Amino acid sequence: MSGETREDLVTTDTARDDLVAGDTTGTGAVAAAAVGLAAILFALGLAALFEVVSLTAPLAGVSTVVLLGGLLILLGGAVTTFGLGSRLGYVETEPRASAGLVVGVVFGGLWFAAAGLFTSQTLGFDTVAWAASATVVGAAALLASTLTREDVGSTVPVGLLTVVTGAVFAFGVIEPGWTWDLGFPSSYTAIFVAEFVVPVVTLLCALLCGWASAKAYAGFGARGRHTGAYTLVYLNAVSIVLVLFVLVGFTVLQGFTPMMDGFRVGLGVGPATTVGLFGVELFTVVWPVDWPFVMNGVGLTNDFNGVLPAIVGTVWLVVGSVLFAVPLGIGAAVFLTEYAERGRFTQVVEVATNGLWSTPSIVFGLFGAAFLVPRFGNTKSLLAGMLTLAFMLLPLVVITSREAMLAVPDEYRDASAALGVSKWQTVRSVVLPAALPGVVTGIILGVGRIAGETAPILLTMTSAPFLGAQQRADVIGGFELSWGPPFVANEALLQATSALPYQLYGLITAGVGRSSGLEDIETFRWATALVLLVVVLSFYAVGIGARYYFRSKLRHD
């Protein structure tokens, strides 16, 4: 026994038992802290990726890259230590015999990539040598993950990889000015820079270590796998929300100031608007708000240029498309769901609608230019743009409406039929009200797509990108009565106009605008983008409000 007495062994076993018995607070707190540290690193990686945090500026008095490296070393060490502690019995867990083949393949692939980069870029190995070395390392990581117990296979490979990555950052192997030229032919340029590599690698290590820490916190086994999966889902969900906030926040930051130039509030300070119908002026409104960017067009004599014609064009595009597509889509869904026999015909229609929804928008634009424009005076017009976008929206309305109606329980239909209610009355009073929240959801998704489309309206509707305020599409005031067919005419619907996506496209790609009186095109771009975002979000808000209204009415009924 190498000099150890029975009393020494009993004392050692007792100490280990005491440590294991008391692990629920200490080791659980360590694992929870590792999960929290992984979340912090994940957030820092996202912030660095979107340049909210600069790699060149110090963070908390330390270089950002060095700080990320130190935190990665700490996180990887904690994960590795926890896995080894579980294997040696110092932490009470219930691991399975293996972490699984999927985990092994992922970790093996990551180690293969890391070893390949190190041997080829740092050691200068040729292709055969670095490929062989990387294969050996990747295979060792795969075997270490699959042939060992779950507590070791899930933690040690990713923990060590995170430690190595942290050391690369902390000791200046990759620093803010680092670049890697992939060495493509001279006609191509492919360079990785630290501003991209450091955040992405940090995100990957934080995600994997967060998963491993969550498994360790739950004691591995079935519960650990579930906790690890939840952690991955939560981190990805948080990243999606953060990306959304960064996108919106950056657009607001860049576009808010130019959008608010000249903004005033007061009685009689705004422009006068005359409302008319069928050629008759009804009344005139003097707005108590003067918001030049929203209420003006573009002109050489304007003190402040704006996007009013583009806003009006975008709103009428969406409204007209919805008015055309929604009744037709819901009617088709009612027929397919409630009246048509479920067979080959309905299957063909389902495949066709799914295919139409997946069709690129430029194809719809070409269809509108070839089929609709020649039938409306052979000129681009607001009506042609409306119908083109309506054809784009129609498949989604059919798909979502049909799915919403199929989700209505058959018991509702049977109960209505038992009361002697006709088929159409059942559909109108029972099925449609129950399906309306789902239908509105589909319309919201479709509106979000068509409101930002550029290609279809570029080919069917648009004229000059920049118009004066008086050149906006006056659809309501443009209606005129006549004694002959079609009895009602509207010149505004048959004229080309502008829209926010097309105007933004012109500002970005063609650089147009300076000849129209725009001095600072860059700020005008961001202000236009912000207005487009507000318009789209406003449509979303209206749709979401309608959905909640129908849901609450359904619960009340």
Side-chain angles (χ1 to χ4, degrees), residues 77-217:
V79 171
T80 303
T81 302
F82 202 101
L84 294 177
S86 171
R87 184 65 182 87
L88 296 174
Y90 289 103
V91 181
E92 186 178 5
T93 57
E94 297 178 354
R96 293 201 168 192
S98 172
L101 182 60
V102 174
V103 174
V105 170
V106 171
F107 289 169
L110 291 174
W111 273 103
F112 174 86
L117 290 173
F118 176 75
T119 53
S120 62
Q121 300 302 313
T122 304
L123 301 182
F125 287 5
D126 58 22
T127 303
V128 175
W130 77 253
S133 303
T135 301
V136 171
V137 174
L142 187 150
L143 295 176
S145 301
T146 55
L147 300 182
T148 57
R149 268 187 5 178
E150 183 186 17
D151 48 2
V152 175
S154 298
T155 58
V156 174
V158 68
L160 292 178
L161 181 63
T162 302
V163 169
V164 172
T165 303
V168 168
F169 293 166
F171 294 105
V173 178
I174 293 181
E175 53 188 5
W178 175 88
T179 60
W180 175 30
D181 190 345
L182 297 183
F184 284 177
S186 57
S187 57
Y188 299 95
T189 301
I191 299 176
F192 282 117
V193 296
E195 286 76 7
F196 173 78
V197 172
V198 172
V200 169
V201 173
T202 301
L203 286 171
L204 179 62
C205 291
L207 196 65
L208 294 175
C209 282
W211 167 79
S213 301
K215 288 186 69 175
Y217 177 76

Side-chain angles (χ1 to χ4, degrees), residues 22 137 251 363 385 529 539:
V137 174
T251 305
V363 177
F539 282 119

